[in-house]
Amino acid sequence: MVITFIILIATASLFVWGKIRSDIVALCSLLGLLLTGILTPTEALSGFSNPIVIMIAALFIVGGAIFQTGLAARVSKGLLRFAGNSDYKLFLLVISVTALIGSVLSNTGTVALLMPIVVSMATSSNMSVRRLLMPMAFASSIGGMMTLIGTPPILIVHNTLVESGHRGFSFFTTLPVGIILLFCGILLLWPLSKTLDKKRKKDDDDNRSTVKSPKQLVTEYRLAENMYRVETNGKSPVVGKKLSELDITKQYAVTIAEIRRRSTSPFKKTVTQELPEAGTVLGDNDVLYLIGDFVNVARFAEEKDLKFIDQSSDDSMPTFSGKLKFDEIGMAEVVVLANSNIIGHPVRESGFRKNYNVNIIGIQRKTRYLVQNVKDEKIQSGDMLLVQGAWEDIDRLSRLQAEIVVIGQPSAEASKVTLEDKAPVAGIIMGLMVVAMIFNFFPPVVAVLMAAVAMILAGCFRSVRDAYRTINWESVILFAAMMPLATAMEKTGASELISSGIVGSLGSRGPYLVLAGIYLGTSILTMFISNTATAILFAPIALQAAVALGVSPYPFLVAVAVAASMCFASPFSTPPNAMVVSAGRYSFLDYVRVGLPLQVFYMVIMVFALPLVFPF
């Protein structure tokens, strides 16, 4: 037991110190229990096969698909339009929408999704963003208390109940608790947030990113001003011929940026996006996206009997009105290093198309942007090349070509581009998963796993690798490696000692004081270590305290989940709190002024409310 307490204290101290990643600390704790003989290898590694760990990993994939398809952003933006010009309505809507989304998605993902939208809304309404971001972070945790999958502590106490032979939670078991928390949060946060309503000087240069999105690149290189769309038809001489035979770039000084093909089936009309290659054969009704001088483009269209899709009001030069898509074909900038062997050679001899399957469609040379007749431009040292190609090929270019530097991370940029056509599919899968969990058609872990696999098979991610990339492995390993510590505490009698101490000192005064002691202990510990780790440690303590008192364990275990999730007095107690620190320019004292009163109020309310919802 002494060794278990030493490992527990050392683990908590390392969590507080924060210099070592939490998952590494958890693994070291696991190894300590294993090497000292407290746990057998089977017991030490049991967390990695626990259903809750598998479920949390699958939930990351489901949530990632909702973000990747743009479904969550679409729903959120639609709801936030109802705020109008009222600061209080905007506050209520932000809290309500955040809690709603946080009830089915992770609180971390919810804040990541809503933060840019909330900042934009605050700017538009001239409301202080500081007064919205911290309450939004708190609301994401409050929303997590409404459903089984909303926050990890609920899953942990649910798992503790099941393993001890009690009936686990259903999907909406904790909904009444979540509603109480939401109502009290709205009641208190509006006046408390007034202390945050003060302006601070912003230094935008400190946080300015040097990585540009594809849309920013299109604007910067003014591609839309030099891009035209033409459509082929059955009479055009280009139909049925390969691009290598036509040699359009050489004859007309025009670059084909991409080709979109229309195909109509009895069930669905689709448009596919293709990157032009030498062997590409043009077909009827193909749409060509051309970059070049209008005179050259017009000559090409006239000679090849092609029709401009975009027309100006006075029938003069067409103005591009299309929308560039970056689902499959992306853009990125690369810098040519001084030792590159392509310096001094024209773009057409660079070998980018042949060797890497990407096109060079623009050059930034100092303050100049070149997008017309690029193929004849000789590459110079320090040139910034705008390349276009499949995201996978751009990513591969950064790994294979040592004489250039790709700006940013193409794979990360690709993951930011939403697959909007898959949003309805993701919504259906998400809805079916929630229905299956509500009506207990399948065990929760099975329902979530089925949804995760369905998201991947339905194409809600570009690749399986993108799906795995959405999993926060640090959190998954933290969950799996911390569970054996709770087992060790129970095996060595440490949990019983702590619970008997609480019951012994408070039990004679009734279960209410024991409940308050468990809530207070969980709340204090959560201020120093992660709420997940705290829930793992206190769940068996709460269970043993209830058994010792001979009462229902449900109010005690729900108290652990609430106390672990509702820790607002520190910016580092939960991931959502930490995520808004920079954007809101918050200090530690800001969290104390707003979060501590709310946290104390919640404790008082929950001590009396929980026994009403879950009787002793």
Side-chain angles (χ1 to χ4, degrees):
M1 185 188 300
V2 175
I3 296 176
T4 302
F5 274 118
I6 291 174
I7 292 176
L8 172 62
I9 294 171
T11 301
S13 300
L14 289 173
F15 277 138
V16 174
W17 187 41
K19 298 297 184 180
I20 304 176
R21 279 175 45 134
S22 58
D23 54 338
I24 303 300
V25 173
L27 286 173
C28 290
S29 172
L30 184 150
L31 287 172
L33 295 170
L34 183 60
L35 294 175
T36 54
I38 295 174
L39 296 179
T40 65
T42 301
E43 291 172 332
L45 300 176
S46 61
F48 290 91
S49 61
N50 193 290
I52 187 176
V53 175
I54 306 300
M55 184 175 176
I56 289 172
L59 280 172
F60 276 117
I61 294 179
V62 173
I66 298 299
F67 300 143
Q68 184 70 74
T69 57
L71 177 62
R74 187 184 302 181
V75 173
S76 301
K77 288 180 181 178
L79 290 172
L80 288 173
R81 290 195 189 99
F82 292 103
N85 296 321
S86 169
D87 288 354
Y88 186 63
K89 284 184 179 179
L90 180 58
F91 172 83
L92 287 178
L93 202 53
V94 167
I95 297 297
S96 302
V97 170
T98 304
L100 177 64
I101 297 177
S103 67
V104 291
L105 298 180
S106 72
N107 52 10
T108 304
T110 301
V111 171
L113 166 72
L114 291 179
M115 187 159 58
I117 300 174
V118 170
V119 170
S120 176
M121 291 294 292
T123 302
S124 301
S125 62
N126 293 320
M127 184 178 179
S128 172
V129 71
R130 287 169 47 80
R131 199 169 181 184
L132 291 178
L133 286 181
M134 187 185 292
M136 178 194 68
F138 294 172
S140 70
S141 298
I142 294 171
M145 288 301 306
M146 295 185 178
T147 64
L148 177 62
I149 64 173
T151 183
I154 291 185
L155 289 171
I156 290 165
V157 299
H158 162 79
N159 186 70
T160 301
L161 284 168
V162 172
E163 289 185 345
S164 63
H166 293 81
R167 185 178 179 181
F169 294 150
S170 64
F171 193 79
F172 286 119
T173 295
T174 58
L175 179 60
V177 177
I179 292 175
I180 295 172
L181 293 170
L182 179 60
F183 177 78
C184 295
I186 292 175
L187 191 66
L188 283 183
L189 276 175
W190 177 248
L192 287 174
S193 64
K194 287 184 179 180
T195 62
L196 302 172
D197 194 9
K198 56 182 180 180
K199 296 183 179 180
R200 292 188 176 184
K201 295 181 179 180
K202 297 182 179 180
D203 187 3
D204 295 332
D205 293 335
D206 290 343
N207 298 315
R208 187 172 296 164
S209 174
T210 58
V211 180
K212 303 161 191 168
S213 69
K215 290 183 180 179
Q216 290 174 319
L217 292 173
V218 168
T219 302
E220 186 171 317
Y221 282 79
R222 302 173 69 178
L223 289 182
E225 298 178 20
N226 295 275
M227 184 171 288
Y228 307 92
R229 295 187 298 171
V230 296
E231 185 177 16
T232 63
N233 56 76
K235 299 179 181 179
S236 175
V238 302
V239 174
K241 292 187 177 181
K242 296 180 179 179
L243 291 181
S244 58
E245 299 175 18
L246 297 171
D247 202 9
I248 297 171
T249 302
K250 183 177 181 181
Q251 292 190 29
Y252 298 97
V254 171
T255 301
I256 302 179
E258 67 177 74
I259 302 171
R260 296 194 188 177
R261 301 186 189 275
R262 299 171 181 172
S263 60
T264 305
S265 68
F267 305 102
K268 185 179 180 182
K269 181 179 180 181
T270 59
V271 177
T272 58
Q273 184 184 20
E274 293 185 12
L275 195 68
E277 299 179 359
T280 301
V281 178
L282 296 179
D284 191 13
N285 294 325
D286 283 353
V287 177
L288 310 181
Y289 284 63
L290 307 176
I291 298 177
D293 185 83
F294 175 68
V295 175
N296 296 331
V297 174
R299 181 166 63 90
F300 167 63
E302 182 180 357
E303 292 182 6
K304 301 301 182 182
D305 194 16
L306 304 174
K307 178 185 177 182
F308 281 100
I309 293 180
D310 302 302
Q311 297 291 340
S312 61
S313 56
D314 57 357
D315 293 329
S316 59
M317 184 186 301
T319 302
F320 180 75
S321 59
K323 182 180 180 182
L324 290 172
K325 297 173 62 179
F326 302 102
D327 296 357
E328 303 297 334
I329 298 177
M331 289 183 184
E333 285 182 310
V334 301
V335 178
V336 181
L337 301 182
N339 63 340
S340 176
N341 57 14
I342 63 175
I343 292 177
H345 294 275
V347 167
R348 65 175 182 272
E349 298 177 5
S350 65
F352 272 55
R353 158 55 63 186
K354 179 180 178 182
N355 299 328
Y356 309 109
N357 203 34
V358 298
N359 291 326
I360 300 176
I361 60 174
I363 300 175
Q364 179 186 349
R365 183 170 295 155
K366 296 182 180 178
T367 59
R368 296 173 57 207
Y369 292 89
L370 310 174
V371 294
Q372 295 183 6
N373 204 21
V374 174
K375 67 180 181 64
D376 293 325
E377 285 290 334
K378 291 185 178 181
I379 300 174
Q380 300 178 11
S381 175
D383 276 354
M384 193 93 76
L385 308 180
L386 180 63
V387 298
Q388 178 197 40
W391 286 111
E392 293 81 3
D393 291 327
I394 296 176
D395 194 40
R396 188 168 60 93
L397 173 65
S398 65
R399 297 193 302 269
L400 298 181
Q401 175 58 274
E403 297 171 352
I404 63 171
V405 176
V406 178
I407 304 299
Q409 297 177 316
S411 58
E413 289 300 315
S415 66
K416 296 176 185 176
V417 181
T418 56
L419 305 173
E420 295 182 356
D421 58 321
K422 296 294 183 179
V425 178
I428 292 172
I429 295 173
M430 181 73 174
L432 290 175
M433 182 195 78
V434 173
V435 169
M437 298 181 73
I438 292 174
F439 294 100
N440 293 317
F441 292 151
F442 305 100
V445 65
V446 175
V448 174
L449 270 177
M450 290 172 64
V453 173
M455 291 289 192
I456 296 172
L457 295 178
C460 296
F461 295 96
R462 287 184 179 79
S463 64
V464 177
R465 184 175 64 175
D466 284 346
Y468 284 130
R469 198 178 280 130
T470 64
I471 300 175
N472 187 327
W473 291 108
E474 181 178 351
S475 298
V476 172
I477 292 178
L478 172 65
F479 299 150
M482 282 299 294
M483 283 184 173
L485 182 55
T487 303
M489 292 183 66
E490 189 171 354
K491 184 178 180 181
T492 59
S495 295
E496 185 178 357
L497 178 64
I498 296 174
S499 62
S500 62
I502 295 176
V503 173
S505 58
L506 302 174
S508 60
R509 302 187 180 184
Y512 281 94
L513 278 180
V514 177
L515 181 65
I518 289 175
Y519 192 108
L520 180 61
T522 305
S523 184
I524 292 174
L525 188 60
T526 306
M527 293 180 64
F528 302 102
I529 68 174
S530 75
N531 59 357
T532 302
T534 303
I536 291 173
L537 294 176
F538 263 87
I541 293 174
L543 181 64
Q544 290 190 18
V547 171
L549 289 172
V551 296
S552 170
Y554 289 91
F556 295 90
L557 284 167
V558 175
V560 170
V562 174
S565 301
M566 301 297 108
C567 187
F568 303 136
S570 165
F572 310 111
S573 55
T574 64
N577 289 4
M579 289 174 68
V580 299
V581 170
S582 298
R585 300 293 195 271
Y586 298 122
S587 66
F588 188 91
L589 287 178
D590 289 331
Y591 283 88
V592 174
R593 281 194 294 264
V594 177
L596 186 58
L598 182 63
Q599 194 170 323
V600 172
F601 184 72
Y602 274 157
M603 184 179 73
V604 175
I605 293 296
M606 286 295 105
V607 167
F608 293 99
L610 286 177
L612 297 177
V613 181
F614 305 98
F616 289 124

